[in-house]
Amino acid sequence: MTTLEHRPGEAAPLAAPKQADAALRDRSGRFRRMNALIRKETLQIVRDPSSLVIAVVLPILLLFLFGFGVSFDVTKMRIGLVIEEPTPETARFEASLTNTPWFRVKVAHDRREFLDDLTASRLEGVIVLSGDFSERIGRGDSAAVQIITDGTDPNTASLVNGYAQGAWQSWLAQLAVSGGTEGAAPISTDPRFWFNPELESRRFLVPGSIALILMMIGSLLTALVVAREWERGTIEALLATPASVTEFLVGKVVPNFVLGLCAMTVSVLFAIFVFDVPMRGSVLALLGASTAFLLVALSSGLLISSLARSQFLASQIAMITAFLPALFFSGFIFEISSMPGPLQAFSAIIPAKYYVRSLQTIFLAGDVAAVLVPSILILAFMSLVLMLLTARYSKMRLD
């Protein structure tokens, strides 16, 4: 007859299956709680029109503003052309200026006629052809052409100067061709502009504006929904459940992540079909970069919500910490390399900088791994750090 004896220090034979069953029930309970929180958050989004307005209407409105309102392309600059001594050469130069799409030319014979217009900013610049212009051209000397611009607006003054010099060089080349001396120039340049041969500023501004929009929407969505629960007092019912911090964060992030992807899809479709921006990269690369960036934006909103318990305060913090740095330090409008060293270093912690670079590459150049992989890895690391900070400072108690 055989008997089973339980010796001290040995585990009971039925302890291991019981522990496995307990772990399985605990894991199953976590999934059920997360599914319930995701369903609850999804229903709350569907019932709250403000979330849909932020995710659908706001991207369209901002894209129209950035796409049509912000442009670095110069067309129809108002220029005064002073011809002190009219000749056939000055007439051809005037025709070359008038036929370009960049200038709207007003002609006079004395520069004093344009002084008031230039002072009152009714003209962006004045080009003066001296009285001996044709004589110098005939002798082969350098002709006296003066370009006067309004220095109170340095950017416009530089543009006028650059475009006027370009028009002058083009006119000289045509003159050399008509005179049969086109081979006299020792150096001939043949510029090529890759990825954006038309040099349309809209083609890099629109992808940059998508990054700005998603940063603002992502941080606002999560910051407002949690703050709203604090204001309405519904957070108390949520905190009464056995849900952990991780389950709470997953329940908040997943529905808003889907909402952010919808906003990204709407923005990309508008960029392609309304603003005619080519997309040379793959959808997979776009989805990877957008996923990493949206997680950063949503995490920053959750971190804000862990500090602010009113919607007004949360929206103000989101605008200051998410929108403004993305606007100034992402490279969307302002060139980072021209900033002082400390500001360039500060731009390294701005998530939008890496997403703007990724989007401009995906839209204009294609899937360039040397650009996309480091940017996505940095964004993934930022989202991880922000999520850990959020979990650290999130309180699952009312006190």
Side-chain angles (χ1 to χ4, degrees), residues 142-161:
S142 58
V145 178
Q146 185 180 34
I147 303 173
I148 305 171
T149 55
D150 185 1
T152 58
D153 187 351
N155 289 331
T156 303
S158 299
L159 287 173
V160 171
N161 187 47

Side-chain angles (χ1 to χ4, degrees), residues 292-341:
F293 183 69
L294 268 177
L295 288 177
V296 175
L298 295 172
S299 303
S300 66
L302 285 175
L303 182 60
I304 293 170
S305 69
S306 67
L307 304 173
R309 297 189 178 185
S310 71
Q311 295 187 66
F312 176 76
L313 182 59
S315 63
Q316 295 301 308
I317 296 177
M319 289 294 290
I320 293 173
T321 60
F323 180 75
L324 293 181
L327 177 64
F328 291 107
F329 299 103
S330 64
F332 163 56
I333 293 179
F334 305 103
E335 184 63 35
I336 295 176
S337 59
S338 62
M339 296 179 179

Side-chain angles (χ1 to χ4, degrees), residues 229-230 232-241 396 398:
E229 295 216 34
W230 282 108
R232 294 177 179 174
T234 54
I235 195 74
E236 296 178 5
L238 186 60
L239 297 183
T241 66
M396 299 302 291
L398 292 176

Side-chain angles (χ1 to χ4, degrees), residues 245 249 303 306 385-395:
V245 174
L249 295 180
L303 182 60
S306 67
V385 171
L386 287 172
M387 198 59 78
L388 290 176
L389 288 175
T390 305
R392 171 70 177 78
Y393 290 105
S394 292
K395 296 179 180 178

Side-chain angles (χ1 to χ4, degrees), residues 12-31:
L14 297 178
K18 287 183 178 178
Q19 290 177 354
D21 290 341
L24 184 61
R25 285 197 299 273
D26 183 60
R27 190 180 305 115
S28 175
R30 284 201 300 270
F31 281 116

Side-chain angles (χ1 to χ4, degrees), residues 264-308:
M264 185 273 293
T265 304
V266 170
S267 302
V268 170
L269 291 178
F270 260 73
I272 296 174
F273 295 107
V274 176
F275 297 106
D276 198 25
V277 180
M279 182 173 164
R280 301 189 174 100
S282 65
V283 175
L284 185 62
L286 175 66
L287 193 60
S290 301
T291 297
F293 183 69
L294 268 177
L295 288 177
V296 175
L298 295 172
S299 303
S300 66
L302 285 175
L303 182 60
I304 293 170
S305 69
S306 67
L307 304 173

